[in-house]
Amino acid sequence: CQIVVTAAVTSVSSLALAVGPKPAPLPQPQTLTLGLVKVGHLSPMLFMADDVKECNVQLKTAEFVRYADARTGLLSGSIDISGIGPADLAIALAQGSKQIVGLTGVASSPKYPVVRKGVEINDWGDLKGKRIGIAPGSAVWFQFAATLAENGTPYSSFTPVNIQGGGTAFVQALQRGDIDAVALWEPFESQLVADGTAYFAKNMDYSQSKAVGAELGLLAATRDAVTNKRDAVKCFLWHYKNREEQLAKDPQAFAQAYSKYTGLPEAVTQESVKLINLGGVLDLDQLQRQAKTFHDLGVIPKDTSGQINEVWDPTLLEEVMK
């Protein structure tokens, strides 16, 4: 069964809508394998194993450091559902796979370069000659690179320093003085600011590029799970959005959940939640712009903007929201 969503259909914004009636328990137990990427805007994941039991759904979990690893897990079928990066649908399509189906965005936030204290970066021209830590192919890098292209800042004007692994490697590199600034993600951005290592260059928000937008990630499932475990996926999505809604209304509860989910101290997560707006802002039009732009920039080898509707299915979200 192929899922095809026409270009006229876009996502339902969880910022504007509340969850509908709780799904009834499944007549027979089902199991979902959930990929856990330990970033703050996915903190509702903390509650999912217990919550979905109400639907007669059992969760198995697998942890991933990066969105790219979770994308690989979905492509291989080793997990059923996970958070991934907004560009991962286009990347998977360019690799010839329609195995991953996007369901909804999860959160947005402003994005500022995190600059080591003692280094002056106040506008895009100040990047010239600086060493900037990046994670090539990451969701944050897509936002950063798109903004540079749109505002005419040459990528060659600074020295990009590719840093592999999770956010801790970026933190350590900036603390050592190996780099001058980073294009990073939460909670590591706030960690560097909270410990006095760095400051936010707040004149340089790179979350608002036309091509990429402010979305921090999306929930996605395998095509097999959407087709053959649809009621279980629907149960998961209802409970996720329910928890998301609760945490969005209570910053203290969000900071506590964030701390438990990521293992970071609340002193860091309390700062981080000030930046994160829970609730997806992604839609099909934005996905199409991303796919086309990153092909034009040579990042993705194939323009998949005409196919992205085949791997974006907002109908499950429509069914659980009111």
Side-chain angles (χ1 to χ4, degrees):
C1 175
Q2 185 183 44
I3 298 167
V4 179
V5 183
T6 67
V9 180
T10 58
S11 66
V12 176
S13 172
S14 59
L15 295 173
L17 301 178
V19 291
K22 184 183 296 187
L26 277 62
Q28 299 295 327
Q30 270 196 323
T31 300
L32 290 174
T33 302
L34 171 65
L36 299 176
V37 184
K38 295 297 186 73
V39 289
H41 51 272
L42 293 176
S43 293
M45 295 288 193
L46 177 70
F47 306 98
M48 291 302 99
D50 287 333
D51 285 359
V52 299
K53 289 178 182 177
E54 298 179 21
C55 298
N56 205 15
V57 174
Q58 300 295 317
L59 279 190
K60 295 180 180 179
T61 59
E63 291 192 14
F64 298 98
V65 174
R66 305 176 305 158
Y67 277 153
D69 301 321
R71 181 182 76 234
T72 300
L74 289 167
L75 287 169
S76 69
S78 62
I79 56 176
D80 295 308
I81 190 166
S82 183
I84 58 172
D88 282 332
L89 295 179
I91 291 171
L93 278 173
Q95 295 171 346
S97 175
K98 297 181 181 179
Q99 166 72 358
I100 303 176
V101 179
L103 306 175
T104 178
V106 294
S108 61
S109 78
K111 299 296 299 178
Y112 312 114
V114 182
V115 184
R116 181 166 50 85
K117 285 192 173 176
V119 176
E120 185 174 341
I121 297 179
N122 294 311
D123 59 42
W124 296 103
D126 290 339
L127 291 180
K128 186 175 182 179
K130 303 295 194 301
R131 299 162 298 167
I132 311 299
I134 61 168
S138 68
V140 166
W141 180 82
F142 275 94
Q143 291 179 307
F144 185 67
T147 299
L148 293 175
E150 289 175 20
N151 68 26
T153 301
Y155 204 78
S156 59
S157 66
F158 59 90
T159 300
V161 179
N162 297 351
I163 299 177
Q164 301 299 318
T168 300
F170 286 78
V171 171
Q172 293 170 343
L174 200 68
Q175 289 172 334
R176 288 193 304 264
D178 297 345
I179 50 180
D180 299 308
V182 291
L184 193 51
W185 52 89
E186 289 296 327
F188 304 101
E189 295 171 306
S190 290
Q191 181 180 342
L192 283 162
V193 173
D195 70 13
T197 298
Y199 63 93
F200 288 120
K202 291 193 173 181
N203 293 332
M204 302 166 64
D205 185 356
Y206 58 90
S207 72
Q208 299 298 321
S209 73
K210 181 180 179 182
V212 179
E215 182 65 57
L216 295 174
L218 58 88
L219 292 183
T222 65
R223 188 169 297 277
D224 179 69
V226 172
T227 303
N228 299 318
K229 300 181 179 180
R230 189 172 182 87
D231 287 340
V233 174
K234 182 177 175 180
C235 162
F236 176 90
L237 192 56
W238 186 93
H239 281 286
Y240 187 94
K241 287 297 180 181
N242 185 53
R243 288 292 186 176
E244 181 182 82
E245 187 178 293
Q246 293 173 10
L247 296 180
K249 293 176 180 177
D250 188 341
Q252 185 59 38
F254 182 13
Q256 290 171 351
Y258 192 155
S259 179
K260 290 178 182 177
Y261 183 62
T262 62
L264 287 165
E266 282 190 42
V268 172
T269 63
Q270 285 174 351
E271 292 302 310
S272 188
V273 301
K274 296 176 183 177
L275 297 174
I276 297 172
N277 300 308
L278 291 175
V281 297
L282 193 66
D283 61 21
L284 181 59
D285 182 58
Q286 186 71 72
L287 287 167
Q288 290 171 326
R289 290 201 302 274
Q290 286 183 23
K292 185 178 187 310
T293 297
F294 287 108
H295 168 65
D296 292 345
L297 293 175
V299 178
I300 297 175
K302 179 181 177 182
D303 182 0
T304 61
S305 58
Q307 298 173 280
I308 206 85
N309 64 300
E310 299 177 32
V311 293
W312 176 245
D313 181 9
T315 61
L316 273 167
L317 184 62
E318 292 170 353
E319 292 173 19
V320 302
M321 307 299 283
K322 62 181 181 182

